[in-house]
Amino acid sequence: MAQTSANKPSKHYIVLLNVHGLIRARDLELGSDADTGGQTKYVLELAEALAKNKNVARVDLLTRQVIDQNVSDDYALEREKVSAAAQIVRLPCGPKRYLRKESLWPYLDCFADNVLRYIRSHGLMPSVIHAHYADAGYVGCRVASLLDVPLVFTGHSLGREKQRLLLEKGQSAESIEEKYNISTRIEAEEETLSFASLVIASTSQEVDAQYARYDHYQPSRKKVIPPGTDISKFYPPNAHLSKLPIHTEVDKFLSDPKKPVILALARPDERKNLAGLLRAYGNSEKLQSLANLVIVAGNRDKIAELDRGARNVWRELIALIDEFDLYGKVAYPKKHKPEQVADIYRMAAHRKGVFVNSALTEPFGLTLIEAAATGLPVVATDDGGPQEIIRNCKHGVLVNALDDKDIVKGLLHILAKPKQWQQYSQQGRAGAQKYYTWEGHAQRYIDCVDSLLGSQIKSKNIQARRVKKISTDRILISDIDGTLIGDTKALQQLKELLTQHESYAGFGVATGRTIKMTLDVLNEWNMPIPDILITSVGTEIYYGPNIAYDMGWHQLIDHRWEPRRLREFMHDEKGVRLQEGYKQRTFKVSYDVDASFTGVKGLRTRLRKAGLHTNIVYSHGQYLDLLPLRASKGFAVRYFADKWGISLEKILVAGDSGNDLDMMVGRTMGVVVGNHEKELEKLRDLERVYFAQGDHANGILEAINYFDFYAPNPAH
Ligand code: GLC
Ligand code: MG
């Protein structure tokens, strides 16, 4: 990338994060499972389009590496070129095998560390990090905060909306929670929305009805930029459309293949409501006499071998076809190739058909734009993106997808009136050209990024920020109260080990105490001054032996922090009492709580609604620390690791209570000492966290053994 001169911004380097699903540069396996669909395609095309923009130098699409016999080897490749300036970079995230997105949550902290390491490895600073979906949002908050670059977020679909619709359909809250981990997802979305500098949505309906359900709804940071469609593939049929292979596949189901086609093209996912459509068709003789129904829903060999969701959908569809005796009227081809999708639309347009989207929720509705470009009128669910697409393209009508009769009415409105059909078809083609190309999207995107960054220089060299203490290649960072201190004999033993290995292994503390209280207690227990002191719950960093204050950290966390307003707000909270004055710090507002405290969850929601950006840390069931969003022991450890060039795998962190939690969850080695609080129990299943038998420093000694912390380094 070109060097930057002082006032002329260089070109952009953009990092896209897409954690789940199967993504590769060519032949996307759309519909192969519930996580490989519209979003995957969107992100890949966005990468390509951005890379073509004249103000962009490089685009990296970071995703999860999958090494699994059941999927193609392509997903194991570490690097894959997408175009001259864009590439896919695959990084480890938990187990190697393919996992559905609901199972990825425990591995995202490690993934975030891997992302950080990758970006540092080439030393180029991104202009923005753009996270796609809640899981990437979780990762993006962490990475963007540590790199101090703006985060852009696109939710793709949002948890609260999904929860609402599933509840409406009669599913129980518990089963939704169990199936989709919905509260973890919503929590990640809240965090991301509070952190992101820019949220890109595809439709304004999405902003009004979906993002607005969130505590951190900030309309000013939302921008609607519809996704582009590669319209070149979706051209209308010409008059002599010859018989394509897909025609054969479809026509073999039908007694009168010349009739117009009602086309549904969607993943076999219950939310797509294909059964609702089939029922509507089955109940309307008029519709059956006017048109055939064609359902293209992924590929299948044996229905019994599909994943559970798809299997249930197919079983229901086939049972309905039988129940309504729709033989000869409904086609549901077993297979189609991705490159045949445009032919499928063309076939439907050629037969003067209608495209129908009867999904329960449809935040995007890419298929509706593809239909428009092909000149195929649509009937679509009146719930999501379709509202805006139809407003722009004027190529059809909206219906209530939960109401059979309304679906039928919409279809008849178009199928029974050839003039109406013609008008919709023409308007759709014009609208798609005007509103939905990727080239236009990329330009509007870059304009947003430019105004976000202002005239600020776009590319910084990370290397320049590093201050390395060359000799230290690993470090123990321990909490003090309940962890380091408490057992004199064990602490003495630990002290000896620290001295013995001090030429290459560092020692640090991370504590809730103030710097003064920290130095007092270390002195009292006869400990040397640590190399690093992370104090006041991660809001302050000092370096020994001169107790030098890290001003860089101070500046980094001083972001949307309003302590005065926060304290005022807390006046009305039940069961909280401000701690002593000397415990209150610039970036730390601390309370003691009693039994009448209503809990962290409710407080978090209320703070968000009040627009107070706060990181809440709860320890020992009795202390409540309110910190800036970017501050915590975990963030401080990562900031320091970067600054000193120590890799996270070589950092052993030790703790006993809630305020230690977030420094344990990533790629560091972690030890939870025997005498820990129950707040840390949830770390039990993490691979890199060791639960010691011994209390206090005994636990740390055990972990030193367990991880072989002082193992000789081949480089020494
Ligand atoms: C220490 C601090 C206190 C904080 C607690 C939990 O006890 O003095 O202010 O609330 O740690 O982090
Ligand atoms: Mg402690």
Side-chain angles (χ1 to χ4, degrees):
M1 177 173 297
Q3 273 298 312
T4 351
S5 69
N7 41 23
K8 193 164 146 269
S10 71
K11 292 183 175 190
H12 295 286
Y13 165 41
I14 290 170
V15 169
L16 305 178
L17 296 179
N18 179 90
V19 187
H20 69 257
L22 290 170
I23 191 156
R24 63 183 174 193
R26 269 150 282 278
D27 303 325
L28 283 179
E29 298 182 276
L30 299 176
S32 65
D33 80 325
D35 294 349
T36 305
Q39 178 184 332
T40 327
K41 184 164 180 255
Y42 177 101
V43 177
L44 185 66
E45 291 183 347
L46 174 63
E48 285 174 316
L50 285 174
K52 273 193 213 147
N53 186 282
K54 60 181 188 314
N55 292 319
V56 173
R58 169 171 167 180
V59 179
D60 281 346
L61 195 183
L62 272 43
T63 190
R64 179 170 181 257
Q65 184 184 38
V66 179
I67 306 174
D68 186 334
Q69 287 182 337
N70 297 319
V71 303
S72 159
D73 294 345
D74 294 349
Y75 308 114
L77 275 180
E78 281 174 21
R79 303 271 184 282
E80 186 186 4
K81 217 167 184 50
V82 174
S83 68
Q87 63 169 343
I88 296 175
V89 176
R90 298 192 180 83
L91 302 168
C93 174
K96 292 181 175 157
R97 66 179 187 281
Y98 184 73
L99 288 174
R100 57 199 278 272
K101 61 179 178 303
E102 288 79 6
S103 311
L104 291 174
W105 296 104
Y107 312 113
L108 295 180
D109 289 288
C110 283
F111 186 72
D113 286 345
N114 289 333
V115 168
L116 214 51
R117 186 165 56 164
Y118 167 73
I119 293 174
R120 295 195 190 305
S121 72
H122 59 56
L124 205 65
M125 194 64 108
S127 299
V128 292
I129 291 183
H130 185 168
H132 295 269
Y133 195 80
D135 48 12
Y138 180 91
V139 174
C141 288
R142 280 146 188 82
V143 175
S145 152
L146 288 160
L147 292 176
D148 196 20
V149 301
L151 180 72
V152 181
F153 178 57
T154 298
H156 288 272
S157 73
L158 291 172
R160 279 204 210 285
E161 179 67 359
K162 175 162 174 174
Q163 189 181 40
R164 185 181 70 84
L165 286 157
L166 290 172
L167 286 170
E168 201 169 277
K169 266 183 66 201
Q171 286 201 26
S172 74
E174 300 77 55
S175 86
I176 298 172
E177 185 57 39
E178 196 187 318
K179 238 166 124 180
Y180 303 108
N181 255 330
I182 205 96
S183 56
T184 311
R185 172 176 169 191
I186 292 171
E187 186 48 43
E189 287 164 345
E190 285 286 10
E191 185 189 13
T192 310
L193 287 171
S194 118
F195 192 86
S197 308
L198 173 67
V199 175
I200 294 182
S202 287
T203 66
S204 34
Q205 187 278 342
E206 204 187 342
V207 173
D208 299 342
Q210 302 199 32
Y211 287 101
R213 287 177 201 282
Y214 284 72
D215 303 338
H216 261 298
Y217 172 58
Q218 269 146 328
S220 61
R221 278 194 251 150
K222 308 263 179 330
K223 187 87 199 168
V224 174
I225 315 180
T229 304
D230 182 0
I231 296 181
S232 64
K233 275 186 260 165
F234 297 94
Y235 52 86
N238 61 32
H240 315 286
L241 186 78
S242 57
K243 209 164 165 146
L244 299 159
I246 193 69
H247 285 102
T248 322
E249 278 302 306
V250 168
D251 292 354
K252 68 187 180 194
F253 286 89
L254 304 172
S255 11
D256 186 357
K258 287 204 191 62
K259 275 188 190 171
V261 159
I262 299 166
L263 171 67
L265 203 151
R267 275 179 288 110
D269 181 318
E270 61 178 317
R271 285 162 302 171
K272 296 294 179 188
N273 192 30
L274 292 167
L277 170 64
L278 193 47
R279 218 172 269 121
Y281 181 76
N283 276 321
S284 167
E285 288 191 11
K286 181 136 188 235
L287 208 49
Q288 291 170 40
S289 73
L290 273 176
N292 294 314
L293 177 61
V294 177
I295 298 178
V296 181
N299 287 299
R300 60 185 188 274
D301 278 318
K302 292 185 186 153
I303 288 177
E305 285 166 8
L306 292 173
D307 67 39
R308 183 150 54 105
R311 192 165 68 222
N312 289 342
V313 167
W314 273 116
R315 286 194 172 143
E316 188 180 8
L317 292 180
I318 287 171
L320 284 169
I321 290 169
D322 194 72
E323 183 186 325
F324 288 104
D325 192 3
L326 296 174
Y327 295 98
K329 297 175 184 167
V330 180
Y332 40 105
K334 268 175 94 77
K335 290 198 175 168
H336 67 278
K337 301 202 177 78
E339 62 270 19
Q340 287 177 323
V341 169
D343 285 339
I344 298 173
Y345 288 106
R346 267 191 288 278
M347 172 203 67
H350 183 66
R351 291 179 182 174
K352 303 276 184 277
V354 177
F355 181 85
V356 54
N357 174 325
S358 54
L360 300 174
T361 166
E362 188 56 84
F364 282 166
L366 266 185
T367 48
L368 298 181
I369 298 165
E370 294 170 348
T374 318
L376 181 61
V378 300
V379 166
T381 182
D382 192 4
D383 178 78
Q387 293 176 335
E388 185 141 311
I389 296 172
I390 290 184
R391 194 179 322 131
N392 288 338
C393 296
K394 304 182 182 63
H395 66 320
V397 292
L398 297 164
V399 295
N400 176 358
L402 293 168
D403 178 354
D404 286 9
K405 292 208 181 69
D406 207 34
I407 298 180
V408 171
K409 201 172 125 209
L411 287 166
L412 290 176
H413 164 73
I414 303 174
L415 286 165
K417 296 181 204 152
K419 257 198 165 151
Q420 183 67 72
W421 190 95
Q422 270 308 337
Q423 195 186 352
Y424 281 146
S425 172
Q426 272 161 15
Q427 287 172 176
R429 284 154 58 184
Q433 286 291 346
K434 189 164 165 199
Y435 292 97
Y436 299 102
T437 62
W438 274 116
E439 206 187 335
H441 181 100
Q443 191 49 51
R444 293 177 67 187
Y445 184 109
I446 293 302
D447 291 345
C448 288
V449 169
D450 279 336
S451 66
L452 194 66
L453 300 177
S455 55
Q456 167 188 335
I457 295 168
K458 309 262 163 49
S459 121
K460 300 177 221 160
N461 190 319
I462 305 174
Q463 237 70 30
R465 271 196 355 212
R466 271 189 197 158
V467 188
K468 259 193 202 167
K469 191 181 159 194
I470 309 281
S471 56
T472 306
D473 80 344
R474 70 198 74 183
I475 187 163
L476 162 68
I477 298 182
S478 177
D479 166 51
I480 298 181
D481 297 272
T483 308
L484 189 68
I485 59 175
D487 184 318
T488 321
K489 218 174 114 217
L491 186 58
Q492 183 57 31
Q493 249 176 291
L494 178 63
K495 210 170 98 183
E496 278 159 26
L497 278 178
L498 294 174
T499 324
Q500 197 182 327
H501 299 281
E502 72 185 351
S503 65
Y504 65 98
F507 166 58
V509 291
T511 174
R513 289 172 175 254
T514 60
I515 182 68
K516 177 166 184 315
M517 307 262 310
T518 303
L519 293 168
D520 287 351
V521 75
L522 290 172
N523 188 26
E524 198 180 305
W525 287 77
N526 224 341
M527 290 297 285
I529 296 208
D531 300 304
I532 173 172
L533 303 100
I534 295 170
T535 64
S536 299
V537 200
T539 60
E540 295 169 25
I541 300 179
Y542 301 83
Y543 302 98
N546 303 325
I547 319 297
Y549 181 62
D550 191 322
M551 198 57 203
W553 180 241
H554 179 115
Q555 281 159 355
L556 191 63
I557 63 177
D558 188 6
H559 180 72
R560 296 189 191 144
W561 174 240
E562 301 173 83
R564 187 170 304 165
R565 198 155 77 80
L566 183 62
R567 282 168 77 146
E568 264 161 34
F569 176 90
M570 291 297 289
H571 264 307
D572 305 333
E573 281 292 312
K574 277 200 213 65
V576 303
R577 198 169 28 95
L578 211 53
Q579 291 178 4
E580 300 91 313
Y582 72 90
K583 292 184 179 167
Q584 311 298 338
R585 308 288 290 178
T586 312
F587 297 115
K588 172 173 171 286
V589 179
S590 292
Y591 297 84
D592 293 325
V593 308
D594 62 35
S596 62
F597 174 53
T598 52
V600 170
K601 222 176 146 188
L603 175 62
R604 181 170 291 137
T605 307
R606 287 188 291 281
L607 285 172
R608 277 187 178 137
K609 291 214 166 114
L612 285 160
H613 301 264
T614 318
N615 186 13
I616 305 176
V617 178
Y618 186 53
S619 313
H620 296 276
Q622 117 186 50
Y623 303 126
L624 183 70
D625 302 314
L626 304 181
L627 318 173
L629 265 188
R630 298 175 173 188
S632 68
K633 288 188 182 183
F635 274 125
V637 165
R638 278 157 180 77
Y639 169 82
F640 154 78
D642 169 43
K643 199 158 170 165
W644 280 30
I646 299 178
S647 80
L648 288 170
E649 288 97 339
K650 298 211 133 197
I651 300 183
L652 172 58
V653 292
D656 74 311
S657 82
N659 73 12
D660 303 312
L661 196 129
D662 92 317
M663 59 173 185
M664 308 266 203
V665 289
R667 274 178 38 241
T668 48
M669 299 173 266
V671 51
V672 175
V673 293
N675 55 300
H676 62 270
E677 294 288 329
K678 65 171 186 297
E679 303 138 1
L680 295 189
E681 273 306 316
K682 54 181 120 160
L683 300 177
R684 276 264 181 217
D685 296 333
L686 294 187
E687 198 194 319
R688 295 184 63 81
V689 176
Y690 173 71
F691 272 72
Q693 299 287 318
D695 294 350
H696 311 289
N698 286 304
I700 305 179
L701 291 169
E702 259 178 57
I704 286 176
N705 253 320
Y706 174 82
F707 289 111
D708 203 1
F709 179 63
Y710 290 119
N713 188 328
H716 283 272

